[in-house]
């Protein structure tokens, strides 16, 4: 019997969408992320994941953005072997297991209390893995995390579910608390009406909806904090892993990436502070 999740709110259950997408990717003959541990974790939870109706396009995008964030985390760790990694809205993700940082790196997973409680039951943790049960809407979420070491903060699939009233203070708080490091996020540009309607099907299954429409200009967060500097804007449509997509999806993705508007509908943004 799996672990019951009746205590989770609709917002907390959004963690299931990304986790299930990574799990399904690992089952494909040509996986993009290949996170078999994600599939093992899904099998432990008493939940009808199939009812989420996650489309193949979302599965590919979820797997690819996770891989892109993993690659950037590995590079940061290689440059800073004493780093602190902070996974914001970590859900049930297994980024630490995929990146495999050395023992000199501390990895903090931050999420709401019920999600962290479930995470601690189903996600294997090493001696340098730390769980932080907190809301990112509260400024004290980072108090238990060291601030004096190079820090890489990751937000994968998080911003869509936070209102702007939380996102802007969060972007301001990060460079105030941490002395130096980077913030890497996945982003969708300015989300249009059609995209919102397409995702309603998935998120209605967990009882929530898209909260933040996003922005086109990747430099906008620089106006929220003078310590943030955009250092990378990478479109998923330009990633070499798109070659693993089925033919029709591969062609449409590459064509989408040929325009500025299309390229920014799925991207990874990285800021230094």
């Amino acid at each position: 019997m799996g672990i019951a999740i009746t205590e989770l709110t609709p917002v907390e259950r959004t963690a299931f969408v990304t986790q299930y997408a990574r799990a399904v990717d690992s089952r494909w003959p040509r996986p993009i992320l290949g996170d078999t541990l994600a599939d093992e974790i899904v099998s432990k939870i008493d939940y009808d994941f199939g009812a989420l109706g996650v489309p193949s396009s979302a599965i590919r995008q979820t797997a690819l953005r996770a891989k892109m964030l993993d690659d950037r985390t590995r590079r940061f760790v290689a440059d800073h072997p004493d780093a602190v990694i902070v996974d914001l809205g970590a859900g049930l993700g297994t980024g630490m297991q995929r990146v495999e940082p050395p023992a000199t790196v501390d990895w903090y997973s931050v999420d709401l209390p019920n999600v962290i409680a479930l995470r601690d039951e189903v996600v294997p943790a090493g001696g340098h893995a730390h769980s932080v049960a907190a809301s990112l809407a509260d400024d004290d979420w980072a108090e238990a995390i060291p601030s004096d070491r190079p820090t890489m903060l990751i937000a994968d699939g998080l911003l869509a579910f936070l209102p702007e009233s939380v996102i802007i203070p969060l972007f301001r708080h990060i460079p105030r608390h941490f002395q130096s490091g980077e913030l890497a996020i996945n982003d969708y540009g300015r989300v249009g009406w059609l995209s919102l309607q397409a995702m309603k099907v998935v998120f209605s299954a967990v009882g929530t909806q898209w909260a933040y429409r996003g922005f086109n200009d990747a430099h906008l967060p620089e106006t929220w904090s003078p310590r943030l500097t955009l250092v990378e804007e990478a479109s998923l449509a330009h990633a070499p892993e798109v070659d693993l997509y089925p033919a029709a999806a591969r062609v449409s993705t590459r064509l989408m990436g040929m325009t500025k508007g299309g390229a920014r509908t799925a991207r990874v943004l990285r800021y230094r502070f």
Side-chain angles (χ1 to χ4, degrees):
M1 181 179 292
I3 296 169
I5 47 81
T6 53
E7 298 299 318
L8 271 66
T9 66
V11 170
E12 290 168 333
R13 292 188 190 190
T14 59
F16 292 166
V17 178
T18 50
Q19 188 68 5
Y20 181 61
R22 297 182 193 121
V24 174
D25 165 78
S26 74
R27 303 170 191 168
W28 286 349
R30 301 177 71 194
I32 297 163
L33 185 64
D35 189 349
T36 55
L37 180 55
D39 201 20
E40 293 176 23
I41 290 169
V42 162
S43 69
K44 297 177 181 178
I45 300 172
D46 185 11
Y47 186 76
D48 185 5
F49 287 92
L52 293 173
V54 182
S56 295
S57 58
I59 291 169
R60 289 190 292 268
Q61 188 179 116
T62 300
L64 179 50
R65 77 189 189 213
K67 186 176 188 305
M68 292 173 69
L69 289 168
D70 285 354
D71 290 344
R72 283 144 184 83
T73 304
R74 290 189 188 97
R75 290 202 294 265
F76 189 86
V77 168
D79 291 339
H80 307 283
D82 62 335
V84 170
I85 309 299
V86 182
D87 191 349
L88 301 172
L92 306 177
T94 53
M96 180 176 178
Q97 289 77 11
R98 297 192 304 266
V99 171
E100 297 182 312
T104 52
V105 170
D106 283 290
W107 193 293
Y108 289 80
S109 299
V110 184
D111 215 316
L112 296 168
N114 285 338
V115 177
I116 289 297
L118 178 59
R119 176 185 178 83
D120 288 346
E121 288 192 64
V122 299
V123 179
H128 294 269
H130 313 274
S131 295
V132 179
S135 169
L136 293 171
D138 300 328
D139 277 352
D140 61 358
W141 65 266
E143 285 186 359
I145 305 175
S147 61
D148 58 350
R149 291 159 58 185
T151 305
M152 177 82 169
L153 298 104
I154 310 157
D156 183 6
L158 173 68
L159 266 61
F161 305 107
L162 296 180
E164 187 175 72
S165 60
V166 171
I167 291 173
I168 294 177
L170 176 64
F171 274 63
R172 289 173 176 163
H173 182 67
I174 286 169
R176 283 201 301 259
H177 179 81
F178 300 100
Q179 292 183 10
S180 65
E182 295 182 357
L183 168 64
I185 65 174
N186 82 287
D187 174 69
Y188 312 92
R190 179 67 176 171
V191 179
W193 184 85
L194 286 176
S195 295
L196 285 176
Q197 302 312 304
M199 295 311 294
K200 270 185 177 181
V201 176
V202 174
F203 297 124
S204 63
V206 293
T208 189
Q209 60 185 354
W210 203 286
Y212 182 53
R213 295 287 295 275
F215 48 84
N216 285 331
D217 186 356
H219 289 280
L220 179 64
E222 293 176 325
T223 68
W224 300 340
S225 170
R227 291 200 61 212
L228 289 176
T229 301
L230 178 69
V231 293
E232 183 182 20
E233 179 179 2
S235 174
L236 272 64
H238 300 157
E241 289 83 3
V242 172
D243 289 342
L244 296 171
Y245 287 15
R250 183 171 65 248
V251 171
S252 63
T253 300
R254 293 299 190 200
L255 288 173
M256 182 178 67
M258 294 176 69
T259 66
K260 287 184 178 180
R264 66 181 171 232
T265 58
R267 59 186 175 178
V268 166
L269 304 177
R270 190 162 54 91
Y271 301 89
R272 188 167 293 146
F273 54 87

